[in-house]
Amino acid sequence: MSVFLDEFEQAPGLCYLNHAAIAPWPRRTAEAVARFAQDNVRLGAREYPAWLATERRLRERLARLLNAPTIGDIALVGNTSQALSLVAFGLDWRPGDQVVISDEEFPSNRVVWQALADRGVEVVEASLAVADPEAALIAACGPRTRLLSVSAVQFANGLRLDLARLGAACRQRGVLFCVDAIQQVGALPFDVQHYQCDFAMADGHKWMLGPEGLGVFYCRSELRRHLTLHTYGWHMLEHLGDFERRQWQPARSARRFECGSPNMLGACALEASLSLLEDVGMTVVAEQLAQRIEQLYRGLTAIPGAQLHSPGDPSRRAGIVSFSLDGHANADIYRALSNNGVICAVRGPGVRFSPHFYTDHRLIDEVLRQVGQIAMH
């Protein structure tokens, strides 16, 4: 582990607990981007074949990270919202169809389904504030339910859902299963085959430690041709690079969802970031992150007046701890912490901490000390 900690060089006095928003880059990612930029300055696109090789390695790493059957199941997209829109506006909805979501979703996994109202699609929200949130989601799936779409981990309180249970229930009922995986991929192992996902998507700029502007879209191979395409271009064609061909068809692979020129700069950066996660190993990443989440949870629980909004059950946790302090506004807590170099966020009912596997335990102790001081005043 110690050799990988050298990958992160943060400013003195800074404690970064905001990976659920935007993550800092590892050193190797910055170096890869610098090399890419310098090559562009000196050589232009002369090394384009090498760029394509990097892009292919990225697809291979993403396929392994999601345990997709093949790299042909992986599309590179601009962001999670774009991938969700590919599903929402690609399916052949019928008036009266229903989409089930939770009542705690990030807007990306809510508004895209609500935008289908003019097609007669109804959005049903199930409450997660119950003892068995999976049972609530499954119970909300009725005879008109076409698709269940959930976040793997809720952005505000960090609740982790049992995706395998939900996927099995969807398969049994003939309901499509869509997972916004942005708060799990890169933090914990993720397995589209075990979860029986029909669709899954995530951005690279959170737990994957990459840049904004590039994400992944997994679509189960049997369903690709059933998603109507609304964007077309040279890059999504089956015979990629044959610019004189007059007869064309969309690529059989998930590349059919990539209409135009690829984000090669983003691919260079994200490939480097994922190489670090692979070098560490996702099992180790998850174990180390769990230790830091437990440290925060226990430390906050010991502070008088602290209210925890995140799950106490370790099996329900990912990389988020949310808390508030009696008698203190969340905005005031956030401001006090920010003024002392703690990078965090206010989300939902509390202040949200989100460390990663490499976060120094001593920095977490210092943050807990600061929270304790705020609580006393």
Side-chain angles (χ1 to χ4, degrees):
M1 269 292 297
S2 59
V3 64
F4 299 119
L5 299 183
D6 293 338
E7 289 278 355
F8 299 93
E9 183 182 356
Q10 295 178 3
L14 186 76
C15 183
Y16 204 91
L17 298 179
N18 205 24
H19 294 83
I22 298 176
W25 292 359
R27 185 190 304 274
R28 68 177 69 185
T29 302
E31 292 172 349
V33 169
R35 287 193 300 270
F36 184 87
Q38 190 58 39
D39 284 349
N40 270 267
V41 169
R42 297 187 302 110
L43 305 172
R46 192 192 77 176
E47 301 301 314
Y48 201 85
W51 300 359
L52 290 174
T54 298
E55 184 194 56
R56 180 176 178 83
R57 287 197 304 274
L58 172 60
R59 293 179 192 273
E60 292 169 346
R61 293 189 192 280
L62 286 167
R64 289 192 292 269
L65 191 63
L66 273 63
N67 193 32
T70 72
I71 65 170
D73 300 313
I74 296 296
L76 301 177
V77 294
N79 48 60
T80 305
S81 297
Q82 180 186 344
L84 284 164
S85 294
L86 286 168
V87 177
F89 293 93
L91 291 171
D92 58 335
W93 300 101
R94 300 176 294 270
D97 282 346
Q98 291 180 336
V99 175
V100 172
I101 64 174
S102 84
D103 62 349
E104 298 182 11
E105 292 298 327
F106 191 75
S108 296
N109 195 38
R110 173 171 44 81
V111 299
V112 69
W113 311 114
Q114 293 172 338
L116 297 170
D118 61 354
R119 303 190 185 192
V121 177
E122 178 187 1
V123 176
V124 177
E125 295 189 12
S127 174
L128 298 184
V130 293
D132 191 343
E134 288 80 14
L137 288 163
I138 294 168
C141 294
R144 293 192 290 129
T145 302
R146 186 82 178 279
L147 178 142
L148 169 65
S149 186
V150 298
S151 292
V153 176
Q154 293 304 315
F155 78 102
N157 62 11
L159 173 67
R160 179 186 176 191
L161 292 175
D162 185 342
L163 298 180
R165 181 181 172 191
L166 292 174
C170 285
R171 192 60 55 90
Q172 183 181 18
R173 289 163 173 76
V175 172
L176 294 171
F177 187 38
C178 180
V179 179
D180 177 347
I182 195 169
Q183 296 293 3
Q184 180 168 337
V185 174
L188 305 176
F190 192 89
D191 190 331
V192 294
Q193 296 187 70
H194 178 60
Y195 301 151
Q196 301 188 68
C197 298
D198 293 302
F199 314 103
M201 55 283 293
D203 273 282
H205 66 268
K206 297 185 188 293
W207 303 98
M208 285 188 267
L209 303 171
E212 291 186 283
L214 187 60
V216 60
F217 173 42
Y218 164 81
C219 177
R220 188 160 61 88
S221 60
E222 299 92 321
L223 294 171
R224 284 200 288 269
R225 62 187 178 88
H226 295 294
L227 290 184
T228 299
L229 299 173
H230 297 281
T231 56
Y232 292 82
W234 69 276
H235 193 265
M236 49 78 69
L237 302 178
E238 176 64 24
H239 298 92
L240 178 63
D242 188 351
F243 302 128
E244 305 304 320
R245 177 183 286 266
R246 305 297 292 180
Q247 289 76 37
W248 60 271
Q249 64 186 39
R252 290 189 292 269
S253 73
R255 185 167 50 77
R256 63 171 41 217
F257 304 116
E258 306 170 15
C259 63
S261 296
N263 179 359
M264 285 299 188
L265 177 58
C268 169
L270 186 55
E271 193 276 331
S273 295
L274 293 188
S275 75
L276 172 60
L277 292 179
E278 282 204 314
D279 286 348
V280 177
M282 282 309 304
T283 299
V284 175
V285 168
E287 290 172 350
Q288 294 294 321
L289 179 56
Q291 290 178 15
R292 286 150 178 81
I293 293 299
E294 178 68 13
Q295 181 183 0
L296 281 168
Y297 198 93
R298 286 181 177 272
L300 290 167
T301 301
I303 295 174
Q307 303 295 324
L308 275 292
H309 306 293
S310 296
D313 180 355
S315 69
R316 288 292 191 182
R317 300 176 189 166
I320 290 171
V321 174
S322 172
F323 76 99
S324 56
L325 296 174
D326 291 345
H328 294 77
N330 290 331
D332 293 337
I333 301 169
Y334 169 79
R335 188 178 305 109
L337 291 169
S338 297
N339 289 340
N340 283 290
V342 180
I343 310 303
C344 55
V346 175
R347 296 289 188 273
V351 176
R352 186 184 70 183
F353 288 157
S354 51
H356 213 320
F357 76 96
Y358 67 88
T359 306
D360 194 317
H361 288 286
R362 294 169 296 183
L363 291 177
I364 293 178
D365 284 337
E366 170 59 21
V367 171
L368 291 170
R369 186 190 65 80
Q370 291 186 32
V371 174
Q373 287 187 330
I374 296 169
M376 291 189 300
H377 292 86

